[in-house]
Amino acid sequence: MKTTITALCNQKGGVGKTTSCLNLGVGLAQEGKKVLLVDCDPQGSLTISTGCAQPDSLQDTLSTAMLAKMMDTPYDVSLAILRHGEGVDILPANIELSGVEVTMVNAMSREKILKQTLEPLKEKYDHILLDCMLTVNALAAAYSVVIPVQAQYLSAKGLEQLLGTIAKVRRQINPKLTIEGILLTMVDNRTNYAKEISGIIRETYGHRLRIFNTEISRSVRAEEMSAEGKSIFAHD
C-alpha cells in the first residue's frame, strides 16, 4: 500500500486547519480510503472535534507513542488510536504533548521522532493527515503540505515566513517534501475585503504555488458540527 502523509500546516491558529483536516479525512474515507488523522497540537483541537470532549483524560495519545520512541521503549502505537463513527481513525493528542516538545530538545535525531512514531502505521492506511501548527517534526514526517490560509491580512502576511521554514526543512531534513498548495479558508464572499485578500494571495503566490480553486466559505454550521464531534458530511 502506497501511503501519503500530508501535513495541514500553518503557524497561525484559527485558520481552519482542524476543520479542514477532519472534513478532508472523512471525504477520503467516503471514497473507500483508509485514513488516519493525527492530532499534533497540545490543545487537542482535532481530538475534541472528533468527539473526545476531555482529551486530557486519555491514557494513550500521540505523546505516549513519541515518548516511547524517544526512550527506545517497546510500544504499540495502535493502542492509542481511536475510531470515529464516520470511518476515520484518530491518533489523539492532549496537553502532555507540550511536555514532549520540551523533552525532545535533548533527544537524538529529535526532528524525526514523529516520523519514526508513524512508521509502523504506514502499511495500514492510504492517507495519514497531520493537523499541526508549524512544527519541524510534522514537516519532517510529511510527504507534502497543504497550507490553509484565512482570507485576512494577518494570515496572508505570515505566509512568507511559513514558506521560508518549509524551504529550510526541505534543504536540511526532508528533501522530498512538496507543497500541495494553498487552501483559502473561512472566506466571506459577501465582503469586498475577503475578495481583495483572496485576490492578493492568488496574485502574489499563484505563479509559484498551486492555489486551490475551491475556497472554503465561512460556515457557522461547519463550526457547530465540529463542536458536535462530526464532519460537515454528517449535516443533512
Side-chain angles (χ1 to χ4, degrees):
M1 181 186 293
K2 174 63 174 172
T3 304
T4 64
I5 302 179
T6 305
L8 281 86
C9 192
N10 196 318
Q11 77 272 38
K12 189 177 186 304
V15 298
K17 290 189 302 294
T18 299
T19 304
S20 299
C21 186
L22 171 60
N23 287 289
L24 175 58
V26 172
L28 288 167
Q30 290 188 351
E31 293 184 356
K33 305 296 185 183
K34 293 181 179 178
V35 181
L36 174 68
L37 308 180
V38 183
D39 193 344
C40 302
D41 184 349
Q43 294 182 22
S45 299
L46 180 62
T47 305
I48 294 168
S49 293
T50 51
C52 179
Q54 300 292 332
D56 290 344
S57 67
L58 294 171
Q59 185 171 342
D60 292 278
T61 63
L62 177 61
S63 310
T64 318
M66 290 181 71
L67 280 172
K69 184 59 64 177
M70 272 189 280
M71 305 301 179
D72 205 21
T73 305
Y75 178 76
D76 182 358
V77 64
S78 63
L79 293 173
I81 291 175
L82 306 175
R83 184 76 177 165
H84 189 269
E86 294 181 69
V88 295
D89 287 353
I90 305 100
L91 184 51
N94 57 24
I95 196 62
E96 290 178 5
L97 195 56
S98 293
V100 173
E101 290 173 348
V102 173
T103 305
M104 280 196 299
V105 170
N106 298 315
M108 189 178 296
S109 300
R110 60 184 180 272
E111 66 277 352
K112 294 186 178 179
I113 289 171
L114 178 60
K115 180 181 180 180
Q116 294 166 359
T117 301
L118 297 176
E119 198 65 36
L121 298 172
K122 283 165 60 175
E123 61 187 37
K124 300 178 182 179
Y125 296 97
D126 299 298
H127 297 276
I128 297 177
L129 305 180
L130 313 178
D131 177 34
C132 54
M133 303 291 278
L134 184 63
T135 65
V136 173
N137 252 268
L139 294 175
Y143 300 165
S144 62
V145 184
V146 171
I147 306 172
V149 177
Q150 189 177 359
Q152 287 194 352
Y153 174 72
L154 289 176
S155 296
K157 192 176 180 183
L159 250 181
E160 204 58 50
Q161 179 189 356
L162 174 61
L163 294 173
T165 303
I166 292 171
K168 190 172 183 180
V169 170
R170 187 187 288 139
R171 284 195 307 272
Q172 298 182 2
I173 302 169
N174 186 0
K176 294 183 179 180
L177 182 65
T178 62
I179 298 176
E180 289 276 349
I182 294 172
L183 175 65
L184 291 169
T185 63
M186 304 168 77
V187 179
D188 188 348
N189 283 315
R190 296 170 300 177
T191 67
N192 289 329
Y193 174 73
K195 293 176 184 176
E196 182 182 341
I197 297 295
S198 297
I200 290 172
I201 293 172
R202 291 186 183 279
E203 185 178 330
T204 306
Y205 297 101
H207 65 284
R208 58 184 169 124
L209 289 174
R210 179 185 184 188
I211 300 178
F212 296 108
N213 290 328
T214 300
E215 296 181 356
I216 309 302
S217 302
R218 179 177 290 278
S219 168
V220 173
R221 191 62 187 135
E223 296 170 6
E224 290 173 350
M225 294 303 288
S226 288
E228 294 172 15
K230 301 174 182 177
S231 79
I232 198 68
F233 296 99
H235 174 47
D236 187 3

